[in-house]
Structures are given as structure tokens and as C-alpha cells.
Amino acid sequence: MKKILFYVVENPDETMKMYHLFLNIKDLRGNGYDVKVILEGDATKVPLKMADSSHPLNELYKAAKPAITAVCRGCAIATGSLEAAEKEGLPIIGDLENHVSVVKYLDDGYQLIVVG
């Protein structure tokens, strides 16, 4: 099985970029790929903005949500989105000086794709 890790730092206000990201996550997962997503930087605002049912990407966000394996604790605090991530039940991780380490994913054979 192919393993893909999306390391996302893109601002969720970049709707077109986020659309393509979530569309590809949905496609990959639907085709049997093991997909994980780490939200870092401005991307920690994704749950704050896209969990709202009126957001145009809400349905794609919901389809991609099970793949979100980590939301950066430090960045979520800095962007004011920690509470939204917690409310969404997303894992809040800070194992690399309050950010998310990718080492365990690379060691486990994930291909890293940086978005942002």
C-alpha cells in the first residue's frame, strides 16, 4: 500500500489550493492509499474555518478529516484555532518543540508532500 503524508502549511483562505488538496486526499483514500495529513502554520485554521457547514469546502473537509493525524499545538495556539481543532476532535500534537515531527512517518515509509 502506498503511504502519503501531506504536510500542510497553506492558509485555508487560499480556497482553490485547499480545494485541490482535499479533492486529492479524497481520491487517494478512495483508491486505497494510506493518507495522513499534518496541519502546521496557517493551515491550523482549517478546522476553524471549514467545519462551518456554510463553508464551500465543508463537504470535502469532512471527507478529508479522518486523514488529519496531527494539528500543530504551537501554531494552533498562535493562530487562535486550538479550541476549534479540539472541538473537531482532531489530534493536537507538539512533539517537536511544540510542533509536529515528521520523523516517525518517514521512518514508517510515508512519502512527504509539502503543501504551502
Side-chain angles (χ1 to χ4, degrees):
M1 175 188 305
K2 293 217 175 193
K3 297 178 174 185
I4 306 292
L5 172 64
F6 287 101
Y7 185 88
V8 185
V9 294
E10 187 64 63
N11 186 321
D13 292 335
E14 292 289 336
T15 306
M16 188 64 73
K17 291 178 185 178
M18 298 307 289
Y19 169 77
H20 286 94
L21 168 67
F22 288 140
L23 186 63
N24 278 283
I25 290 168
K26 181 180 176 181
D27 185 41
L28 288 165
R29 292 183 74 230
N31 282 287
Y33 283 72
D34 181 359
V35 179
K36 304 271 188 225
V37 178
I38 294 174
L39 301 178
E40 278 274 6
D42 280 335
T44 59
K45 295 185 277 188
V46 163
L48 179 67
K49 294 179 178 259
M50 295 182 183
D52 181 345
S53 62
S54 68
H55 193 284
L57 298 183
N58 176 259
E59 289 300 317
L60 278 176
Y61 161 73
K62 288 192 299 190
K65 183 179 167 186
I68 299 174
T69 192
V71 175
C72 172
R73 176 178 300 284
C75 293
I77 292 168
T79 62
S81 57
L82 180 63
E83 186 177 318
E86 290 172 337
K87 183 178 178 183
E88 284 290 290
L90 298 171
I92 312 298
I93 308 294
D95 60 350
L96 177 65
E97 297 183 23
N98 220 21
H99 296 277
V100 182
S101 173
V102 298
V103 171
K104 64 185 172 191
Y105 301 100
L106 297 178
D107 287 348
D108 196 27
Y110 283 84
Q111 176 184 347
L112 179 66
I113 299 173
V114 178
V115 179

mmCIF file of all heavy atoms in Angstrom, residues 51-95:
data_model
loop_
_atom_site.group_PDB
_atom_site.id
_atom_site.type_symbol
_atom_site.label_atom_id
_atom_site.label_comp_id
_atom_site.label_asym_id
_atom_site.label_seq_id
_atom_site.Cartn_x
_atom_site.Cartn_y
_atom_site.Cartn_z
ATOM 1 N N ALA A 51 -15.024 23.763 9.251
ATOM 2 C CA ALA A 51 -16.013 22.947 9.963
ATOM 3 C C ALA A 51 -17.398 23.572 9.881
ATOM 4 O O ALA A 51 -18.400 22.895 10.100
ATOM 5 C CB ALA A 51 -15.588 22.767 11.419
ATOM 6 N N ASP A 52 -17.447 24.842 9.541
ATOM 7 C CA ASP A 52 -18.715 25.556 9.379
ATOM 8 C C ASP A 52 -19.432 25.001 8.143
ATOM 9 O O ASP A 52 -18.883 25.006 7.039
ATOM 10 C CB ASP A 52 -18.426 27.051 9.212
ATOM 11 C CG ASP A 52 -19.670 27.899 9.058
ATOM 12 O OD1 ASP A 52 -20.765 27.359 8.795
ATOM 13 O OD2 ASP A 52 -19.550 29.125 9.205
ATOM 14 N N SER A 53 -20.658 24.525 8.326
ATOM 15 C CA SER A 53 -21.392 23.905 7.224
ATOM 16 C C SER A 53 -21.653 24.851 6.052
ATOM 17 O O SER A 53 -21.935 24.406 4.944
ATOM 18 C CB SER A 53 -22.716 23.322 7.724
ATOM 19 O OG SER A 53 -23.538 24.347 8.237
ATOM 20 N N SER A 54 -21.535 26.161 6.273
ATOM 21 C CA SER A 54 -21.753 27.111 5.183
ATOM 22 C C SER A 54 -20.489 27.347 4.343
ATOM 23 O O SER A 54 -20.554 27.984 3.301
ATOM 24 C CB SER A 54 -22.261 28.451 5.725
ATOM 25 O OG SER A 54 -21.255 29.107 6.476
ATOM 26 N N HIS A 55 -19.345 26.807 4.801
ATOM 27 C CA HIS A 55 -18.106 26.984 4.032
ATOM 28 C C HIS A 55 -18.195 26.154 2.753
ATOM 29 O O HIS A 55 -18.632 25.000 2.785
ATOM 30 C CB HIS A 55 -16.890 26.567 4.863
ATOM 31 C CG HIS A 55 -15.604 26.997 4.263
ATOM 32 N ND1 HIS A 55 -15.034 26.358 3.184
ATOM 33 C CD2 HIS A 55 -14.772 28.011 4.583
ATOM 34 C CE1 HIS A 55 -13.905 26.953 2.867
ATOM 35 N NE2 HIS A 55 -13.722 27.972 3.705
ATOM 36 N N PRO A 56 -17.789 26.720 1.610
ATOM 37 C CA PRO A 56 -17.913 25.986 0.347
ATOM 38 C C PRO A 56 -17.117 24.676 0.294
ATOM 39 O O PRO A 56 -17.426 23.806 -0.508
ATOM 40 C CB PRO A 56 -17.413 26.975 -0.710
ATOM 41 C CG PRO A 56 -16.722 28.055 0.027
ATOM 42 C CD PRO A 56 -17.257 28.073 1.415
ATOM 43 N N LEU A 57 -16.103 24.527 1.151
ATOM 44 C CA LEU A 57 -15.306 23.303 1.151
ATOM 45 C C LEU A 57 -15.654 22.372 2.310
ATOM 46 O O LEU A 57 -14.942 21.394 2.556
ATOM 47 C CB LEU A 57 -13.812 23.637 1.187
ATOM 48 C CG LEU A 57 -13.275 24.434 0.005
ATOM 49 C CD1 LEU A 57 -11.773 24.623 0.124
ATOM 50 C CD2 LEU A 57 -13.626 23.771 -1.311
ATOM 51 N N ASN A 58 -16.738 22.646 2.993
ATOM 52 C CA ASN A 58 -17.096 21.857 4.172
ATOM 53 C C ASN A 58 -17.222 20.363 3.862
ATOM 54 O O ASN A 58 -16.720 19.536 4.613
ATOM 55 C CB ASN A 58 -18.388 22.385 4.797
ATOM 56 C CG ASN A 58 -18.841 21.537 5.955
ATOM 57 O OD1 ASN A 58 -19.743 20.709 5.821
ATOM 58 N ND2 ASN A 58 -18.224 21.730 7.104
ATOM 59 N N GLU A 59 -17.867 20.020 2.777
ATOM 60 C CA GLU A 59 -18.052 18.591 2.448
ATOM 61 C C GLU A 59 -16.713 17.907 2.162
ATOM 62 O O GLU A 59 -16.483 16.782 2.607
ATOM 63 C CB GLU A 59 -19.015 18.421 1.272
ATOM 64 C CG GLU A 59 -20.453 18.750 1.621
ATOM 65 C CD GLU A 59 -21.014 17.875 2.731
ATOM 66 O OE1 GLU A 59 -20.788 16.648 2.720
ATOM 67 O OE2 GLU A 59 -21.680 18.432 3.628
ATOM 68 N N LEU A 60 -15.837 18.577 1.418
ATOM 69 C CA LEU A 60 -14.520 17.994 1.153
ATOM 70 C C LEU A 60 -13.677 17.930 2.428
ATOM 71 O O LEU A 60 -12.941 16.972 2.635
ATOM 72 C CB LEU A 60 -13.776 18.793 0.074
ATOM 73 C CG LEU A 60 -14.143 18.474 -1.365
ATOM 74 C CD1 LEU A 60 -13.410 19.415 -2.316
ATOM 75 C CD2 LEU A 60 -13.845 17.026 -1.706
ATOM 76 N N TYR A 61 -13.804 18.937 3.277
ATOM 77 C CA TYR A 61 -13.110 18.916 4.570
ATOM 78 C C TYR A 61 -13.567 17.704 5.380
ATOM 79 O O TYR A 61 -12.747 16.970 5.939
ATOM 80 C CB TYR A 61 -13.358 20.211 5.341
ATOM 81 C CG TYR A 61 -13.075 20.102 6.832
ATOM 82 C CD1 TYR A 61 -11.776 20.026 7.291
ATOM 83 C CD2 TYR A 61 -14.114 20.047 7.759
ATOM 84 C CE1 TYR A 61 -11.507 19.905 8.653
ATOM 85 C CE2 TYR A 61 -13.861 19.929 9.112
ATOM 86 C CZ TYR A 61 -12.553 19.856 9.556
ATOM 87 O OH TYR A 61 -12.291 19.726 10.892
ATOM 88 N N LYS A 62 -14.864 17.477 5.444
ATOM 89 C CA LYS A 62 -15.388 16.342 6.208
ATOM 90 C C LYS A 62 -14.882 15.014 5.638
ATOM 91 O O LYS A 62 -14.602 14.088 6.388
ATOM 92 C CB LYS A 62 -16.912 16.366 6.249
ATOM 93 C CG LYS A 62 -17.453 17.465 7.139
ATOM 94 C CD LYS A 62 -18.927 17.336 7.440
ATOM 95 C CE LYS A 62 -19.810 17.390 6.241
ATOM 96 N NZ LYS A 62 -21.253 17.492 6.540
ATOM 97 N N ALA A 63 -14.756 14.938 4.314
ATOM 98 C CA ALA A 63 -14.242 13.719 3.688
ATOM 99 C C ALA A 63 -12.756 13.509 4.012
ATOM 100 O O ALA A 63 -12.299 12.374 4.157
ATOM 101 C CB ALA A 63 -14.444 13.775 2.180
ATOM 102 N N ALA A 64 -12.010 14.610 4.147
ATOM 103 C CA ALA A 64 -10.573 14.531 4.426
ATOM 104 C C ALA A 64 -10.266 14.441 5.923
ATOM 105 O O ALA A 64 -9.186 13.996 6.303
ATOM 106 C CB ALA A 64 -9.864 15.746 3.832
ATOM 107 N N LYS A 65 -11.199 14.844 6.740
ATOM 108 C CA LYS A 65 -10.967 14.935 8.192
ATOM 109 C C LYS A 65 -10.409 13.657 8.822
ATOM 110 O O LYS A 65 -9.496 13.738 9.641
ATOM 111 C CB LYS A 65 -12.256 15.370 8.887
ATOM 112 C CG LYS A 65 -12.121 15.571 10.369
ATOM 113 C CD LYS A 65 -13.437 16.030 10.982
ATOM 114 C CE LYS A 65 -13.402 15.929 12.488
ATOM 115 N NZ LYS A 65 -14.711 16.233 13.071
ATOM 116 N N PRO A 66 -10.890 12.463 8.451
ATOM 117 C CA PRO A 66 -10.323 11.259 9.066
ATOM 118 C C PRO A 66 -8.826 11.072 8.804
ATOM 119 O O PRO A 66 -8.152 10.360 9.539
ATOM 120 C CB PRO A 66 -11.130 10.115 8.438
ATOM 121 C CG PRO A 66 -12.399 10.747 7.986
ATOM 122 C CD PRO A 66 -12.035 12.150 7.592
ATOM 123 N N ALA A 67 -8.310 11.717 7.770
ATOM 124 C CA ALA A 67 -6.888 11.602 7.451
ATOM 125 C C ALA A 67 -6.027 12.564 8.269
ATOM 126 O O ALA A 67 -4.800 12.430 8.297
ATOM 127 C CB ALA A 67 -6.657 11.850 5.959
ATOM 128 N N ILE A 68 -6.647 13.535 8.922
ATOM 129 C CA ILE A 68 -5.866 14.520 9.695
ATOM 130 C C ILE A 68 -5.333 13.834 10.939
ATOM 131 O O ILE A 68 -6.079 13.488 11.849
ATOM 132 C CB ILE A 68 -6.707 15.760 10.045
ATOM 133 C CG1 ILE A 68 -7.167 16.463 8.766
ATOM 134 C CG2 ILE A 68 -5.886 16.722 10.920
ATOM 135 C CD1 ILE A 68 -8.128 17.625 8.990
ATOM 136 N N THR A 69 -4.037 13.614 10.939
ATOM 137 C CA THR A 69 -3.382 12.870 12.002
ATOM 138 C C THR A 69 -2.767 13.770 13.062
ATOM 139 O O THR A 69 -2.458 13.314 14.159
ATOM 140 C CB THR A 69 -2.319 11.927 11.402
ATOM 141 O OG1 THR A 69 -1.878 11.026 12.389
ATOM 142 C CG2 THR A 69 -1.140 12.697 10.855
ATOM 143 N N ALA A 70 -2.605 15.067 12.732
ATOM 144 C CA ALA A 70 -1.999 15.985 13.694
ATOM 145 C C ALA A 70 -2.291 17.432 13.326
ATOM 146 O O ALA A 70 -2.242 17.804 12.160
ATOM 147 C CB ALA A 70 -0.489 15.780 13.756
ATOM 148 N N VAL A 71 -2.585 18.204 14.365
ATOM 149 C CA VAL A 71 -2.670 19.662 14.256
ATOM 150 C C VAL A 71 -1.588 20.196 15.181
ATOM 151 O O VAL A 71 -1.522 19.811 16.358
ATOM 152 C CB VAL A 71 -4.060 20.188 14.695
ATOM 153 C CG1 VAL A 71 -4.090 21.710 14.684
ATOM 154 C CG2 VAL A 71 -5.152 19.621 13.799
ATOM 155 N N CYS A 72 -0.738 21.043 14.664
ATOM 156 C CA CYS A 72 0.371 21.584 15.447
ATOM 157 C C CYS A 72 -0.147 22.396 16.642
ATOM 158 O O CYS A 72 -0.896 23.357 16.459
ATOM 159 C CB CYS A 72 1.240 22.465 14.557
ATOM 160 S SG CYS A 72 2.500 23.364 15.474
ATOM 161 N N ARG A 73 0.271 21.992 17.822
ATOM 162 C CA ARG A 73 -0.162 22.676 19.039
ATOM 163 C C ARG A 73 0.296 24.133 19.050
ATOM 164 O O ARG A 73 -0.493 25.037 19.279
ATOM 165 C CB ARG A 73 0.368 21.962 20.280
ATOM 166 C CG ARG A 73 0.015 22.693 21.581
ATOM 167 C CD ARG A 73 0.490 21.955 22.816
ATOM 168 N NE ARG A 73 -0.081 20.633 22.946
ATOM 169 C CZ ARG A 73 -1.329 20.377 23.337
ATOM 170 N NH1 ARG A 73 -2.145 21.370 23.625
ATOM 171 N NH2 ARG A 73 -1.766 19.140 23.437
ATOM 172 N N GLY A 74 1.573 24.374 18.807
ATOM 173 C CA GLY A 74 2.108 25.736 18.865
ATOM 174 C C GLY A 74 1.459 26.664 17.868
ATOM 175 O O GLY A 74 1.093 27.795 18.195
ATOM 176 N N CYS A 75 1.274 26.181 16.643
ATOM 177 C CA CYS A 75 0.678 27.018 15.599
ATOM 178 C C CYS A 75 -0.813 27.237 15.847
ATOM 179 O O CYS A 75 -1.336 28.320 15.582
ATOM 180 C CB CYS A 75 0.916 26.410 14.228
ATOM 181 S SG CYS A 75 2.666 26.422 13.752
ATOM 182 N N ALA A 76 -1.509 26.213 16.351
ATOM 183 C CA ALA A 76 -2.928 26.367 16.646
ATOM 184 C C ALA A 76 -3.138 27.417 17.732
ATOM 185 O O ALA A 76 -4.081 28.203 17.668
ATOM 186 C CB ALA A 76 -3.535 25.031 17.058
ATOM 187 N N ILE A 77 -2.245 27.440 18.705
ATOM 188 C CA ILE A 77 -2.317 28.472 19.744
ATOM 189 C C ILE A 77 -2.069 29.841 19.116
ATOM 190 O O ILE A 77 -2.810 30.793 19.348
ATOM 191 C CB ILE A 77 -1.321 28.181 20.882
ATOM 192 C CG1 ILE A 77 -1.764 26.929 21.661
ATOM 193 C CG2 ILE A 77 -1.181 29.383 21.813
ATOM 194 C CD1 ILE A 77 -0.719 26.386 22.618
ATOM 195 N N ALA A 78 -1.029 29.929 18.284
ATOM 196 C CA ALA A 78 -0.651 31.208 17.672
ATOM 197 C C ALA A 78 -1.720 31.745 16.727
ATOM 198 O O ALA A 78 -1.888 32.962 16.612
ATOM 199 C CB ALA A 78 0.677 31.058 16.924
ATOM 200 N N THR A 79 -2.448 30.855 16.050
ATOM 201 C CA THR A 79 -3.469 31.302 15.091
ATOM 202 C C THR A 79 -4.864 31.394 15.715
ATOM 203 O O THR A 79 -5.829 31.715 15.017
ATOM 204 C CB THR A 79 -3.542 30.357 13.870
ATOM 205 O OG1 THR A 79 -3.930 29.043 14.314
ATOM 206 C CG2 THR A 79 -2.224 30.311 13.117
ATOM 207 N N GLY A 80 -4.964 31.099 16.997
ATOM 208 C CA GLY A 80 -6.256 31.183 17.669
ATOM 209 C C GLY A 80 -7.229 30.082 17.269
ATOM 210 O O GLY A 80 -8.443 30.254 17.372
ATOM 211 N N SER A 81 -6.700 28.960 16.822
ATOM 212 C CA SER A 81 -7.565 27.895 16.327
ATOM 213 C C SER A 81 -7.509 26.616 17.164
ATOM 214 O O SER A 81 -8.100 25.607 16.772
ATOM 215 C CB SER A 81 -7.202 27.580 14.874
ATOM 216 O OG SER A 81 -5.843 27.223 14.773
ATOM 217 N N LEU A 82 -6.846 26.650 18.299
ATOM 218 C CA LEU A 82 -6.715 25.458 19.135
ATOM 219 C C LEU A 82 -8.087 24.927 19.565
ATOM 220 O O LEU A 82 -8.374 23.735 19.448
ATOM 221 C CB LEU A 82 -5.844 25.742 20.358
ATOM 222 C CG LEU A 82 -5.629 24.574 21.311
ATOM 223 C CD1 LEU A 82 -4.895 23.439 20.622
ATOM 224 C CD2 LEU A 82 -4.857 25.032 22.546
ATOM 225 N N GLU A 83 -8.935 25.805 20.030
ATOM 226 C CA GLU A 83 -10.262 25.394 20.509
ATOM 227 C C GLU A 83 -11.080 24.739 19.391
ATOM 228 O O GLU A 83 -11.768 23.736 19.615
ATOM 229 C CB GLU A 83 -11.019 26.586 21.088
ATOM 230 C CG GLU A 83 -12.336 26.216 21.724
ATOM 231 C CD GLU A 83 -13.043 27.412 22.357
ATOM 232 O OE1 GLU A 83 -12.370 28.245 23.006
ATOM 233 O OE2 GLU A 83 -14.262 27.509 22.178
ATOM 234 N N ALA A 84 -11.005 25.286 18.187
ATOM 235 C CA ALA A 84 -11.744 24.715 17.052
ATOM 236 C C ALA A 84 -11.236 23.312 16.725
ATOM 237 O O ALA A 84 -12.030 22.404 16.461
ATOM 238 C CB ALA A 84 -11.636 25.622 15.830
ATOM 239 N N ALA A 85 -9.916 23.123 16.750
ATOM 240 C CA ALA A 85 -9.342 21.795 16.477
ATOM 241 C C ALA A 85 -9.761 20.793 17.550
ATOM 242 O O ALA A 85 -10.096 19.646 17.241
ATOM 243 C CB ALA A 85 -7.827 21.888 16.378
ATOM 244 N N GLU A 86 -9.753 21.229 18.788
ATOM 245 C CA GLU A 86 -10.184 20.368 19.888
ATOM 246 C C GLU A 86 -11.657 20.010 19.737
ATOM 247 O O GLU A 86 -12.050 18.853 19.913
ATOM 248 C CB GLU A 86 -9.931 21.043 21.231
ATOM 249 C CG GLU A 86 -8.466 21.159 21.580
ATOM 250 C CD GLU A 86 -8.187 21.991 22.824
ATOM 251 O OE1 GLU A 86 -9.028 22.845 23.194
ATOM 252 O OE2 GLU A 86 -7.111 21.797 23.414
ATOM 253 N N LYS A 87 -12.479 20.993 19.404
ATOM 254 C CA LYS A 87 -13.916 20.771 19.219
ATOM 255 C C LYS A 87 -14.175 19.758 18.105
ATOM 256 O O LYS A 87 -15.109 18.966 18.184
ATOM 257 C CB LYS A 87 -14.613 22.093 18.913
ATOM 258 C CG LYS A 87 -16.114 21.987 18.780
ATOM 259 C CD LYS A 87 -16.754 23.334 18.534
ATOM 260 C CE LYS A 87 -18.255 23.189 18.347
ATOM 261 N NZ LYS A 87 -18.890 24.465 18.032
ATOM 262 N N GLU A 88 -13.331 19.785 17.076
ATOM 263 C CA GLU A 88 -13.455 18.845 15.961
ATOM 264 C C GLU A 88 -12.910 17.463 16.307
ATOM 265 O O GLU A 88 -13.004 16.534 15.509
ATOM 266 C CB GLU A 88 -12.715 19.392 14.727
ATOM 267 C CG GLU A 88 -13.439 20.493 14.006
ATOM 268 C CD GLU A 88 -14.681 19.969 13.308
ATOM 269 O OE1 GLU A 88 -14.569 19.224 12.317
ATOM 270 O OE2 GLU A 88 -15.793 20.294 13.775
ATOM 271 N N GLY A 89 -12.291 17.344 17.478
ATOM 272 C CA GLY A 89 -11.750 16.053 17.900
ATOM 273 C C GLY A 89 -10.471 15.663 17.191
ATOM 274 O O GLY A 89 -10.121 14.483 17.119
ATOM 275 N N LEU A 90 -9.765 16.658 16.674
ATOM 276 C CA LEU A 90 -8.524 16.385 15.951
ATOM 277 C C LEU A 90 -7.357 16.223 16.931
ATOM 278 O O LEU A 90 -7.327 16.889 17.964
ATOM 279 C CB LEU A 90 -8.241 17.517 14.963
ATOM 280 C CG LEU A 90 -9.291 17.697 13.874
ATOM 281 C CD1 LEU A 90 -9.032 18.970 13.080
ATOM 282 C CD2 LEU A 90 -9.329 16.483 12.957
ATOM 283 N N PRO A 91 -6.402 15.371 16.602
ATOM 284 C CA PRO A 91 -5.248 15.191 17.481
ATOM 285 C C PRO A 91 -4.360 16.443 17.481
ATOM 286 O O PRO A 91 -3.930 16.900 16.424
ATOM 287 C CB PRO A 91 -4.496 14.002 16.895
ATOM 288 C CG PRO A 91 -5.233 13.571 15.684
ATOM 289 C CD PRO A 91 -6.377 14.487 15.449
ATOM 290 N N ILE A 92 -4.101 16.967 18.658
ATOM 291 C CA ILE A 92 -3.233 18.137 18.831
ATOM 292 C C ILE A 92 -1.869 17.606 19.250
ATOM 293 O O ILE A 92 -1.745 16.958 20.290
ATOM 294 C CB ILE A 92 -3.789 19.091 19.914
ATOM 295 C CG1 ILE A 92 -5.279 19.373 19.714
ATOM 296 C CG2 ILE A 92 -2.956 20.361 19.981
ATOM 297 C CD1 ILE A 92 -5.642 20.049 18.429
ATOM 298 N N ILE A 93 -0.851 17.883 18.441
ATOM 299 C CA ILE A 93 0.476 17.315 18.680
ATOM 300 C C ILE A 93 1.505 18.431 18.815
ATOM 301 O O ILE A 93 1.453 19.422 18.078
ATOM 302 C CB ILE A 93 0.894 16.378 17.519
ATOM 303 C CG1 ILE A 93 -0.190 15.333 17.234
ATOM 304 C CG2 ILE A 93 2.251 15.726 17.795
ATOM 305 C CD1 ILE A 93 -0.428 14.328 18.317
ATOM 306 N N GLY A 94 2.447 18.238 19.711
ATOM 307 C CA GLY A 94 3.540 19.191 19.896
ATOM 308 C C GLY A 94 4.816 18.473 20.283
ATOM 309 O O GLY A 94 5.500 18.858 21.224
ATOM 310 N N ASP A 95 5.149 17.392 19.559
ATOM 311 C CA ASP A 95 6.281 16.548 19.930
ATOM 312 C C ASP A 95 7.635 17.029 19.397
ATOM 313 O O ASP A 95 8.650 16.386 19.624
ATOM 314 C CB ASP A 95 6.030 15.101 19.511
ATOM 315 C CG ASP A 95 5.822 14.914 18.011
ATOM 316 O OD1 ASP A 95 5.677 15.930 17.293
ATOM 317 O OD2 ASP A 95 5.772 13.751 17.573
#
